[in-house]
Amino acid sequence: MLERTFSIIKPDAVAAGLSGAILAEIDQAGFRFVAIKKESITKREAEGFYAVHREKPFFSSLTDFMSSGPLFLMVLEKDNAITDLRKLMGATNPANAEEGTIRKKFARSLQENAIHGSDAPETAAFEIGYWFAGYELI
Ligand code: IDP
Ligand code: MG
């Protein structure tokens, strides 16, 4: 089923000059770029985005990191986009990520792990709506 997911190239990867390589991986995996924008987000915006993690011990550090520099916000489309992007990303901790995945190739730590991808249809809908207006998603 044709589906949309939300993704971020995180500040660690952008700062390391890895944006092009990661965009190429996503492109080669057959995703259509519905929308893409480079932004620097505030800590408050990062806290709203990661609200499900607000009770976690890493919440403050994570939202500091996500607001530390420019990132790419993206909406991606393909059949089974949500599951397929999570597979392409690899495990949250790059030490556990499968060979060939984006996090295995490009992530530097559990927190600075290069890429975000929505984990379910409901979270994809929330995350797309959090960062993009309807007119940006044509
Ligand atoms: P996911 O990005 O693979 O879905 P989540 O568990 O949803 O992983 O965590 C969101 C983000 O929070 C991770 O991608 C990572 O950047 C960060 N994170 C998760 N667990 C930890 C931790 O134990 N310490 C520091 N950062 C973490
Ligand atoms: Mg998650």
Side-chain angles (χ1 to χ4, degrees), residues 50-62:
Y50 277 124
V52 291
H53 292 309
R54 65 186 170 276
E55 307 300 338
K56 304 271 175 63
F58 58 82
F59 182 66
S60 182
S61 169
L62 173 62

Side-chain angles (χ1 to χ4, degrees), residues 10 49-50 52-53 86 89 92 103 116-119 123 127:
K10 295 187 179 183
F49 174 67
Y50 277 124
V52 291
H53 292 309
R86 296 287 302 194
M89 286 162 52
T92 306
R103 282 169 166 167
H116 167 87
S118 309
D119 62 6
T123 41
E127 291 173 359

Side-chain angles (χ1 to χ4, degrees), residues 6-126:
F6 173 76
S7 183
I8 301 176
I9 301 177
K10 295 187 179 183
D12 60 309
V14 177
L18 298 170
S19 307
I22 292 173
L23 290 169
E25 297 266 351
I26 294 168
D27 184 48
Q28 280 157 25
F31 291 86
R32 181 172 83 87
F33 293 89
V34 177
I36 179 164
K37 55 187 177 186
K38 187 180 187 186
E39 289 208 5
S40 295
I41 67 170
T42 65
K43 181 162 171 87
R44 190 172 151 79
E45 288 166 346
E47 287 169 349
F49 174 67
Y50 277 124
V52 291
H53 292 309
R54 65 186 170 276
E55 307 300 338
K56 304 271 175 63
F58 58 82
F59 182 66
S60 182
S61 169
L62 173 62
T63 52
D64 278 342
F65 161 57
M66 292 300 286
S67 56
S68 68
L71 40 67
F72 282 88
L73 306 170
M74 302 180 282
V75 178
L76 306 172
E77 185 176 77
K78 77 184 284 295
D79 285 342
N80 301 311
I82 296 168
T83 302
D84 285 1
L85 183 66
R86 296 287 302 194
K87 281 190 204 148
L88 182 66
M89 286 162 52
T92 306
N93 188 340
N96 303 326
E98 303 72 10
E99 284 301 329
T101 61
I102 288 173
R103 282 169 166 167
K104 180 71 176 187
K105 288 184 190 168
F106 303 118
R108 56 174 71 182
S109 70
L110 172 56
Q111 177 173 277
E112 302 199 358
N113 60 359
I115 186 166
H116 167 87
S118 309
D119 62 6
E122 308 74 52
T123 41
F126 165 75

